[in-house]
């Protein structure tokens, strides 16, 4: 920090980059929520076929969907909180120690978001694999009957 206790140009630029990161994460969270709604419909539409194929796997998919939906909401809350801290930093002068704490917070949120994204993608792969198998079986049944 400079002697006037105002953020330097470099500090503001760093905070603005973090701010853009948070906005990007929120946008991706919005899209994840839309995808989760679609996945819920997919599970509903193919529930019986998935259950007949492998009931235990169907239960895992449903439980995993609930867990990820909760994680997405918690991450949204965490990002919004972090976003608020960044906005305050950009708008007002803060001691250097608070800025370091925000950098650590940003790293923590970034790491959590990266883990959420990996878990979300694993879920999508599992869901698409299972629904894909059901669709193939349905198609084979139609062709043989």
């Amino acid at each position: 920090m400079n002697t006037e206790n105002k953020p330097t140009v470099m500090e503001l630029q760093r905070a603005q980059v973090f701010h853009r990161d948070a906005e990007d994460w929120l946008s991706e969270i919005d899209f994840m929520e839309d995808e989760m709604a679609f996945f819920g419909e997919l599970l509903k539409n193919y529930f019986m076929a998935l259950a007949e194929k492998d009931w235990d796997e169907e239960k895992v998919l449903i439980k995993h969907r609930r867990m990820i939906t909760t994680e997405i909401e918690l991450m949204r809350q965490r990002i919004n909180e972090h976003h608020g801290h960044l906005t305050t930093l950009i708008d007002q002068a803060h001691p250097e120690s608070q800025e370091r704490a925000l950098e650590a917070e940003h790293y923590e949120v970034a790491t959590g978001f990266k883990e959420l994204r990996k878990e979300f993608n694993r879920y999508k792969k599992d869901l698409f694999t299972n629904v894909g198998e059901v669709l193939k079986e349905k198609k084979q049944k139609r062709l043989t009957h």
Side-chain angles (χ1 to χ4, degrees):
M1 259 316 177
N2 63 24
T3 56
E4 297 173 5
N5 205 29
K6 291 185 182 178
T8 66
V9 171
M10 289 294 285
E11 291 164 339
L12 283 174
Q13 287 175 340
R14 186 175 51 235
Q16 288 169 344
V17 167
F18 289 172
H19 182 73
R20 280 192 300 275
D21 286 348
E23 288 177 339
D24 289 346
W25 295 333
L26 288 170
S27 176
E28 193 165 341
I29 289 285
D30 288 342
F31 190 70
M32 285 178 172
E33 288 175 336
D34 291 344
E35 284 184 298
M36 290 306 284
F38 171 76
F39 300 155
E41 288 298 314
L42 198 60
L43 284 169
K44 190 176 5 172
N45 290 335
Y46 292 100
F47 179 81
M48 291 305 295
L50 285 165
E52 288 172 10
K53 180 181 153 301
D54 188 343
W55 173 241
D56 289 333
E57 182 65 25
E58 172 75 357
K59 289 190 298 188
V60 168
L61 286 170
I62 291 169
K63 183 178 178 181
H64 200 184
R65 182 178 176 278
R66 278 191 217 120
M67 181 190 74
I68 290 176
T69 299
T70 300
E71 288 179 16
I72 288 170
E73 183 53 38
L74 291 172
M75 182 56 65
R76 174 185 292 287
Q77 291 170 9
R78 183 70 178 106
I79 293 169
N80 279 329
E81 177 184 322
H82 179 59
H83 192 257
H85 295 159
L86 291 168
T87 301
T88 301
L89 177 67
I90 291 169
D91 293 342
Q92 301 171 5
H94 290 280
E96 195 172 317
S97 61
Q98 285 181 324
E99 291 175 23
R100 283 193 300 272
L102 259 178
E103 285 179 12
E105 177 183 84
H106 188 80
Y107 178 77
E108 176 189 318
V109 174
T111 301
F113 188 79
K114 183 178 177 181
E115 289 302 313
L116 173 62
R117 187 185 294 134
K118 284 184 350 190
E119 185 66 27
F120 181 77
N121 287 336
R122 267 193 299 267
Y123 175 75
K124 285 193 325 186
K125 182 179 179 185
D126 290 347
L127 178 64
F128 291 162
T129 297
N130 281 285
V131 171
E133 290 171 5
V134 165
L135 292 173
K136 284 179 190 175
E137 289 173 10
K138 280 186 160 193
K139 183 177 180 180
Q140 286 175 347
K141 284 181 184 177
R142 274 197 318 262
L143 292 174
T144 58
H145 286 67

